[in-house]
Amino acid sequence: MAIERTYVMLKPGVMQRRIAGEILSRIEAKGLKIVAAKLMNIGRALAETHYAEHRERPFFGELTSYITSGPVFAMVIEGDDAIATVRRLCGATKVQDALPGTIRGDFAMHTGMNIIHASDAAASAEREIALYFKPEDIISWKDGNDGWI
Ligand code: IDP
Ligand code: MG
């Protein structure tokens, strides 16, 4: 399996609910690697660019208003098959389909506020990582018996 990078973002409300650590723990416990992270506010232009594929959807206004409503925790996550692996940890987009044990299944009641974003394919991961991070902000740290653990 190939090492991949994916863009993952804890959506507004996660900081206010004090559950960022709990969600990061699931990503870490799985064995995925956080290689970039920052807390930030998203402006309207970035929100509309990020979600451009949904521009014609009826929920687009609601989505961009929500995503700009408070700080998000933006990350790049690396690991074997990371794109699909993180999507599985997140669970289904629609919260009524998100199974218990998944992040959305356990923490979200409304599809419009489904807690976490994760890239859905290699092309979107590359596009989204570049929207939020400069290449030098991504830290490719080593695992294993290299003196640290
Ligand atoms: P994803 O986040 O699982 O990739 P997308 O279909 O890309 O799901 O939709 C982007 C975001 O738009 C979702 O995470 C969700 O917050 C919101 N969204 C998707 N479908 C609906 C809907 O039917 N009603 C309200 N919000 C929705
Ligand atoms: Mg999506």
Side-chain angles (χ1 to χ4, degrees), residues 5 17 31 39-40 43 52 60 67 69 71 76 83 87 92 100 111 114 116 125 135 143:
R5 285 179 174 171
R17 289 173 63 189
L39 200 62
M40 62 182 285
F60 185 69
I67 214 71
S69 67
V76 179
I83 297 167
R87 294 281 295 189
T111 298
N114 59 5
I116 188 165
D143 260 318

Side-chain angles (χ1 to χ4, degrees), residues 59-82:
F59 57 82
F60 185 69
E62 199 182 303
L63 177 59
T64 51
S65 296
Y66 165 57
I67 214 71
T68 56
S69 67
V72 302
F73 196 105
M75 286 171 276
V76 179
I77 301 293
E78 187 179 277
D80 270 343
D81 201 26

Side-chain angles (χ1 to χ4, degrees), residues 5-138:
R5 285 179 174 171
T6 185
Y7 177 68
V8 179
M9 179 171 84
L10 309 184
K11 295 183 179 182
V14 169
M15 299 314 296
Q16 285 81 357
R17 289 173 63 189
R18 311 295 200 268
I19 55 173
E22 212 166 334
I23 299 171
L24 296 182
S25 286
R26 293 180 177 214
I27 292 169
E28 290 191 311
K30 179 67 180 167
L32 292 157
K33 191 187 272 191
I34 300 172
V35 294
K38 64 178 170 185
L39 200 62
M40 62 182 285
N41 287 307
I42 299 183
R44 182 147 300 275
L46 178 54
E48 291 182 357
T49 303
H50 177 139
Y51 283 121
E53 66 174 308
H54 298 306
R55 199 175 290 278
E56 306 306 326
R57 307 282 283 277
F59 57 82
F60 185 69
E62 199 182 303
L63 177 59
T64 51
S65 296
Y66 165 57
I67 214 71
T68 56
S69 67
V72 302
F73 196 105
M75 286 171 276
V76 179
I77 301 293
E78 187 179 277
D80 270 343
D81 201 26
I83 297 167
T85 301
V86 175
R87 294 281 295 189
R88 278 195 299 277
L89 291 182
C90 291
T93 302
K94 297 214 177 309
V95 292
Q96 59 271 33
D97 298 330
L99 298 175
T102 66
I103 294 165
R104 287 166 169 172
D106 289 348
F107 294 107
M109 283 291 284
H110 306 286
T111 298
M113 293 183 282
N114 59 5
I115 292 292
I116 188 165
H117 168 83
S119 307
D120 63 2
S124 54
E126 191 178 351
R127 185 184 81 91
E128 291 167 7
I129 288 169
L131 279 178
Y132 291 88
F133 290 97
K134 301 192 201 88
E136 62 266 32
D137 294 333
I138 302 173

